Amino acid sequence: MSTSTTRGPAAPGRGRRRPRYGRYVLELVMIAVAVVFLFPVYALITLAMKDPRQISESPLALPSPPTFGNFGDAWSSASLGPALVNSTVITAVSLLLLIVIGSTGAYYLARCARGLGYGLYILFLLGIVLPFQLGMIPLYRLVDDLGWLGTYQGMVLFYTGIQLPFTVFLYTGFIRALPPDYAQAALIDGCNHRQAFTRIVFPLLRPITGTVVILNAVFIWNDFFTPLLYLGGSDKETVPVGVFAFVGQYVSDYGLVFAGLVLAALPVLIVFVVLQRYVIKGFAGGLKG
């Protein structure tokens, strides 16, 4: 007696290996993209550690031997010390104001307001779309009338106003993605909205705060045109303006020039490395909202 068994149709893909060449091609493309992005960094660091003779003979080869004295010479010749202090003060104060004003304003728009909040939110989005270059002349005249040209106050006021719409946009999306139960429980326990925000909500905003700090710090630190316009000729010049004057003075000694560029980029690079893990978290949380 023979027993016949009927087998159903094989599951799709079972017993067959998926071709891996697609993954290999993707990995090769990503490696090529990484090389393209890392090549300027390699050239910058390599040229910063060479003397003029090595640069003229083999500009892209590894330095042999490396010349670390360029960094000390660039620091003293370009007066990067005062410029770093100026950039640090302007960036830190601007970030503090952006975090305080942007987070509290976003909390109001996301939690406390209804129809008015949506209109204000659209108004902030318009501030992102419109290029700030359109208001450079009126803003310059405003700062001049206030007597704040060549001062920290003028730059802090400018950067806070320019970057506030983008900051509110990031915070609002992230707060909308947060469950409102924690803040509501605090309100039931007798807290007002300010206490609920400072004690409950703001500690939960750590990922998006890291994103706000990184993106705004990179913009403020690397901005060249605005400090040149508002601080040019004063003792409050920032790092990009100082490096620009240094490049014009020592354009023939590229080792010193690139060493100055490395020193100028190093602080914001350190901040980015420390806080870079919050960037994706902040954007992902904001997109969910």
Side-chain angles (χ1 to χ4, degrees), residues 10-194:
R14 179 178 295 179
R16 294 182 300 174
R17 293 183 178 180
R18 295 182 179 180
R20 296 184 177 182
Y21 65 87
R23 187 177 66 182
Y24 294 149
V25 171
L26 180 60
E27 291 178 355
L28 290 176
V29 171
M30 297 304 298
I31 292 174
V33 171
V35 170
V36 170
F37 277 93
L38 290 176
F39 179 76
V41 179
Y42 164 80
L44 177 64
I45 298 176
T46 300
L47 293 172
M49 294 189 294
K50 289 183 176 181
D51 54 34
R53 179 185 58 81
Q54 295 182 21
I55 294 176
S56 61
E57 292 178 355
S58 54
L60 295 181
L62 291 174
S64 179
T67 305
F68 295 99
N70 288 336
F71 295 99
D73 296 338
W75 179 274
S76 58
S77 301
S79 300
L80 289 180
L84 284 171
V85 172
N86 296 333
S87 291
T88 302
V89 171
I90 293 173
T91 303
V93 177
S94 300
L95 288 177
L96 179 62
L97 292 178
L98 285 171
I99 292 172
V100 173
I101 300 175
S103 60
T104 53
Y107 178 72
Y108 176 80
L109 295 178
R111 289 285 189 265
C112 303
R114 295 295 180 265
L116 178 62
Y118 181 76
L120 292 176
Y121 182 69
I122 297 299
L123 185 62
F124 276 109
L125 293 183
L126 290 177
I128 300 176
V129 176
L130 295 177
F132 74 90
Q133 290 85 354
L134 295 177
M136 288 302 298
I137 295 178
L139 288 173
Y140 183 86
R141 295 194 61 179
L142 174 63
V143 175
D144 188 18
D145 292 339
L146 292 173
W148 286 356
L149 287 178
T151 63
Y152 292 144
Q153 304 94 294
M155 296 304 303
V156 170
L157 175 66
F158 177 86
Y159 286 128
T160 303
I162 290 297
Q163 293 300 105
L164 188 59
F166 181 63
T167 303
V168 170
F169 169 74
L170 293 178
Y171 270 120
T172 302
F174 195 88
I175 292 175
R176 286 176 176 173
L178 290 177
D181 302 339
Y182 301 108
Q184 290 176 358
L187 295 175
I188 293 175
D189 290 340
C191 293
N192 54 34
H193 284 289
R194 180 183 60 83

Side-chain angles (χ1 to χ4, degrees), residues 107 186-187 190-203:
Y107 178 72
L187 295 175
C191 293
N192 54 34
H193 284 289
R194 180 183 60 83
Q195 294 171 335
F197 174 76
T198 56
R199 299 177 182 179
I200 306 298
V201 177
F202 187 76

